[in-house]
Amino acid sequence: MRSHYCGDVNKSHLGQEVTLVGWVNRSRDLGGVVFLDLRDREGLVQVVYDPDLKDVFDIASTLRSEFCVQVKGVVSARPESQVNSNMKTGEIEILGKQLTIINASAPLPLSMDNYQNNSEEQRLKYRYLDLRRPEMAERLIFRAKVTSSVRRFLDSNGFLDIETPILTKATPEGARDYLVPSRTYKGQFFALPQSPQLFKQLLMMSGFDRYYQIVKCFRDEDLRADRQPEFTQIDIETSFMSSEQVMEKTEQMMRGLFQDLLNVDLGDFPRMSYAEAMKRYGSDKPDLRNPLELVDIADLVNNVEFAVFNGPANDVEGRVAALRIPTGASLSRKQIDDYTKYAGIYGAKGLAWMKINDLAAGIEGIQSPVLKFLTEAIVNDIISRTGAQTADIILFGADKATVVEEAMGALRLKAGEDFKLLEGEWRPLWVVDFPMFEQINGGFHAVHHPFTAPRGISAEQLAADPAVAISDAYDMVLNGCELGGGSVRIHNAEMQSTVFGILGIEAEEANEKFGFLLEALRYGTPPHAGLAFGLDRIIMLMTGASSIRDVMAFPKTTTAACPLTNAPGFANPVQLAELGIAVVEKVKTEE
């Protein structure tokens, strides 16, 4: 039905007859001549109809936005005064000779321009219309180019694309599983995979040295802008490769991706330990475009008569940190109060501050509600350590270290945006040397997942002091966003059983849930390591979208619903009976 895509017609086709199909983006009648902007996935082209061809002109006069039509005409150069440099096809137009309405369109339920004010609910309900907008179409086309580039790289480096099961068994990945009832085994359930973790390890045990898969994963968790109940991973696993080699290979892949598709050289990927990242930035995925850093001052305030400071300063689990914001003394009291409320979202009980109004004036040039608790020597030491200058403000966080890091890390990002401090467009890094475990409510939990190997210690040493163990894990971070995470995996049964024991998974439970893995580890398992990238997140960053929902064809809402299909829905009672499932209605509480 077509000879060319609309966006592909150019001056090389002058004088040629072309056949185009697509949607009416806009139609306008200017003094008896109808101008039609025809759109398909590759772009727009202008079609002109004049009254000389009365039958065709009459049809053109009836067109409205989103009519699906076929156009036949001759490519002609636009008059020089009408060349549109903002359009790929802006140097030419089509002199329309024939016009067929393939399918008319009813009045549209949403605006179709890129400045539309449609609600997200509307956009998802009429997603097939929303995806026609050039902005959205370009993102999905870009996504296809990314996956194609990734496949080419991995294929050319000896990786095999191998599919793993979607119906599997629940695994402890840190979120709730989506369960699928079995009709054959009533009362029993499959789980949709949160990742192909165990299967890709089993593939390494099977001798398939290098595996990859662009795979759907499912997590029933609270959603945010960069979370969805179903998402896509670039999943990679290797045998006989160290963590350094895996990082080198995947870094090479990411460099090539940005170079090929954005003409961007990502530059160096520095390495930073988890401990350093938390100390300097309050985050394990620091945005290095932001020059602000947290500075510890506990040793300066441990003896002051101010419990808010001296309490955390003398607590082994506490931290007192300062954040200097250049030119921040311009903040009004209301703006400081807003920053205080913002820090409160992350658990901070308050926010102390100090304005450096005039550094040369000494203590007289300092303004702070906590100044009365600090000696001039302490103030000078704080100013010296933070590097504060006239017109700066210093914000203080004092609490448990975890609270300080989360709250002050978030304030660092907000201040960087508010004061336009970001430097450079792309700043990647590797965060390494994560702790194996974190302690929550007296118990140990895996920081990555329970199949991650510790670095440089035996199972006996790990069991003796798990709190200090460092994992052989690594995260790739770009502009404060974790692109992917990976690790060297445990490849012997003794170490795996030890980790399960530390996590409180007793032998009987471990055998029930992971007996197949522990058994497989007994038969000559090779050392192996891998990494999984979040494809949706990568596309979001590369296209500048604000949410991964804008780079997915049919995403869910923030409540994990699909307005387009009205999913989820209630199951047929007959199906439920076959599955042996009874639905318990939610009890309504009286007001």
Side-chain angles (χ1 to χ4, degrees), residues 138 469 488:
E138 287 165 9
V488 172

Side-chain angles (χ1 to χ4, degrees), residues 179-190 575-582:
L179 298 179
V180 180
S182 169
R183 180 184 59 81
T184 309
Y185 300 93
K186 287 189 177 180
Q188 298 185 52
F189 296 82
F190 294 101
Q575 287 180 299
L576 292 177
E578 286 182 334
L579 295 167
I581 292 177

Side-chain angles (χ1 to χ4, degrees), residues 6 17 37 40 43-44 53 56 72 120 151 153 259 275 332 344 357 417 490 497:
C6 295
E17 185 172 276
D37 288 342
D40 61 20
L44 291 167
L53 298 173
V56 178
K72 291 186 179 181
E120 186 163 62
R151 289 185 189 279
F153 176 86
Q259 188 68 60
S332 67
N357 294 325
E417 293 282 352
I490 295 169
S497 294

